[in-house]
């Protein structure tokens, strides 16, 4: 279940209440007259089944409540109520399959911004992966994968493509490409420093390294793994099962490939540099493709589900 907290102008409250009451899957409706001070108006509270939430939020935005008031949405961890159980039963579909497009757009927008923190995480992850590839240490590689924040912009690109939002596409693409370029540049400097200290040597990068050699030797399996990871990552975002993102992070070699490309470049090993770069691009492309196709499939599925859900009329504008 979702909990909605709305601030509405006094002259719009009746229309909002009618809209909520007309939406299948809503319950626990409460109106606090004159309770809101900034902006001034009424506070309307209600719970809605997750599978009906997207339609209700969309109708409220269509009515302009987000412009003249406020729409806040929270997940309800525990709701002991027969009315809530009945609301979830009335709403078609399953809550775990529901996609909140407004929430998804908001999350990917926040995680697709090129910030100092984002670049710092990506740089640290890439340097950690550089240590892993030079030492042929799979544990360090897994740790670097888990630290890397690159799935946010990848999900942002997929979401923007499905939602047809060119601005978010470019914003996410900029964060992704600029972030990796900066992280790889920092890692090149890190590799040169480690070489000067005698901790990284040419012999280390030219060694067989059986545990991590796959990083600069891409094949079709690399692309298949990226596709599967993209599906799993997208499902974890849309179903609010964020724990699955850890598994996604450690299943693709984006950060390790970037790290090996940076280290190889610092030692003028252009064969490994090109192979690692190809691995990086294959993984990024596979995740975006899979994420986009997954969102398209989910959108088509819920379009079918909505045919069984009475359409709520927007609150009248005054």
């Amino acid at each position: 279940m979702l909990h909605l907290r709305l601030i509405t102008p006094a002259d719009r409250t009746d229309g909002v209440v009618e809209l909520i009451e007309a939406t299948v899957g809503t319950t626990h409706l409460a109106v606090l007259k004159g309770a809101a001070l900034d902006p001034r108006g009424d506070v309307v509270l209600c719970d809605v089944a997750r599978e009906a939430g997207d339609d209700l939020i969309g109708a409220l935005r269509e009515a302009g409540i987000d412009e003249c008031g406020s729409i806040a949405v929270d997940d309800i961890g525990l709701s002991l109520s027969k009315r809530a159980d009945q609301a979830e039963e009335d709403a078609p579909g399953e809550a775990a399959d529901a996609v909140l497009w407004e929430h998804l757009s908001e999350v990917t927008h926040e995680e697709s911004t090129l910030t100092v923190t984002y670049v710092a995480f990506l740089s640290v992850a890439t340097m950690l992966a550089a240590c892993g590839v030079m030492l042929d240490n799979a544990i360090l590689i897994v740790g670097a994968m888990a630290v890397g924040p690159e799935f946010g912009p990848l999900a942002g690109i997929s979401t923007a493509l499905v939602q047809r939002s060119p601005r978010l596409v470019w914003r996410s693409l900029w964060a992704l490409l600029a972030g990796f370029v900066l992280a790889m540049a920092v890692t090149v400097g890190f590799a040169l420093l480690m070489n000067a200290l005698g901790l990284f040597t040419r012999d280390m990068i030219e060694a067989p390294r059986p545990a991590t050699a796959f990083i600069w030797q891409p094949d079709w399996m690399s692309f298949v793994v990226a596709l599967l990871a993209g599906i799993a990552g997208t499902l974890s975002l849309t179903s609010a099962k964020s724990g699955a993102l850890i598994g996604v992070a450690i299943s693709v070699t984006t950060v390790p490939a970037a790290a090996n490309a940076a280290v190889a470049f610092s030692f003028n090993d252009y064969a490994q540099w090109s192979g690692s770069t190809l691995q990086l691009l294959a993984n990024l492309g596979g995740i975006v493709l899979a994420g986009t196709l997954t969102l398209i499939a989910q959108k088509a599925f819920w379009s079918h589900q909505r045919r069984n859900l009475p359409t709520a009329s927007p609150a009248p504008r005054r």
Side-chain angles (χ1 to χ4, degrees), residues 113-238:
T113 304
L114 187 66
T115 63
V116 173
T117 301
Y118 170 79
V119 174
F121 266 114
L122 191 56
S123 299
V124 170
T126 307
M127 288 187 285
L128 183 61
C131 295
V133 296
M134 292 298 278
L135 297 174
D136 197 33
N137 189 314
I139 296 177
L140 290 177
I141 294 296
V142 171
M145 290 176 173
V147 172
E150 73 279 6
F151 191 80
L154 290 170
I157 294 173
S158 296
T159 302
L161 289 173
V162 174
Q163 296 290 78
R164 299 179 182 179
S165 176
R167 179 175 297 180
L168 181 56
V169 170
W170 290 114
R171 180 191 186 98
S172 302
L173 190 61
W174 168 248
L176 185 69
L177 297 182
F180 267 110
V181 168
L182 291 172
M184 292 171 71
V186 169
T187 305
V188 168
F190 174 72
L192 293 174
L193 175 62
M194 295 292 279
N195 181 43
L197 296 174
L199 299 176
F200 283 2
T201 65
R202 180 173 293 276
D203 290 340
M204 294 172 68
I205 196 170
E206 292 178 351
R209 290 184 286 161
T212 57
F214 68 94
I215 292 173
W216 68 88
Q217 297 173 359
D219 53 23
W220 280 106
M221 280 302 298
S222 301
F223 189 71
V224 170
V225 170
L227 288 174
L228 296 175
I231 294 172
T234 302
L235 289 175
S236 72
L237 285 178
T238 57

Side-chain angles (χ1 to χ4, degrees), residues 44-305:
V44 180
L45 308 173
C46 73
D47 295 341
V48 59
R50 183 180 176 87
E51 50 269 44
D54 193 62
D55 282 342
L56 178 56
I57 294 170
L60 290 169
R61 293 200 65 182
E62 184 181 345
I65 302 303
D66 57 323
E67 298 174 359
C68 63
S70 169
I71 303 173
V73 184
D74 293 315
D75 280 303
I76 300 177
L78 176 64
S79 180
L80 303 178
S81 166
K82 290 185 178 180
R83 285 183 172 272
D85 295 339
Q86 186 62 49
E88 289 187 318
E89 185 177 338
D90 292 341
E94 296 293 333
D97 297 330
V99 180
L100 296 176
W101 291 100
E102 295 292 343
H103 178 264
L104 182 61
S105 298
E106 183 70 18
V107 169
T108 53
H109 184 273
E110 291 178 359
E111 296 185 358
S112 301
T113 304
L114 187 66
T115 63
V116 173
T117 301
Y118 170 79
V119 174
F121 266 114
L122 191 56
S123 299
V124 170
T126 307
M127 288 187 285
L128 183 61
C131 295
V133 296
M134 292 298 278
L135 297 174
D136 197 33
N137 189 314
I139 296 177
L140 290 177
I141 294 296
V142 171
M145 290 176 173
V147 172
E150 73 279 6
F151 191 80
L154 290 170
I157 294 173
S158 296
T159 302
L161 289 173
V162 174
Q163 296 290 78
R164 299 179 182 179
S165 176
R167 179 175 297 180
L168 181 56
V169 170
W170 290 114
R171 180 191 186 98
S172 302
L173 190 61
W174 168 248
L176 185 69
L177 297 182
F180 267 110
V181 168
L182 291 172
M184 292 171 71
V186 169
T187 305
V188 168
F190 174 72
L192 293 174
L193 175 62
M194 295 292 279
N195 181 43
L197 296 174
L199 299 176
F200 283 2
T201 65
R202 180 173 293 276
D203 290 340
M204 294 172 68
I205 196 170
E206 292 178 351
R209 290 184 286 161
T212 57
F214 68 94
I215 292 173
W216 68 88
Q217 297 173 359
D219 53 23
W220 280 106
M221 280 302 298
S222 301
F223 189 71
V224 170
V225 170
L227 288 174
L228 296 175
I231 294 172
T234 302
L235 289 175
S236 72
L237 285 178
T238 57
S239 64
K241 296 186 180 295
S242 58
L245 281 176
I246 299 298
V248 172
I250 62 177
S251 62
V252 290
T253 54
T254 48
V255 167
N260 199 77
V263 172
F265 183 83
S266 67
F267 283 98
N268 300 320
D269 189 333
Y270 298 115
Q272 282 198 39
W273 173 83
S274 61
S276 300
T277 302
L278 182 60
Q279 177 80 275
L280 174 62
L281 295 176
N283 277 273
L284 296 178
I287 293 174
V288 170
L289 175 61
T292 303
L293 294 177
T294 300
L295 289 176
I296 291 174
Q298 289 180 295
K299 195 168 188 177
F301 172 77
W302 276 102
S303 294
H304 175 73
Q305 290 289 331

Side-chain angles (χ1 to χ4, degrees), residues 5-10 13 32-44 68-70:
R5 186 183 73 253
L6 314 174
I7 295 179
T8 66
T13 301
L32 307 178
K33 292 288 187 179
L37 299 180
D38 184 18
R40 290 191 175 276
D42 302 330
V43 175
V44 180
C68 63
S70 169

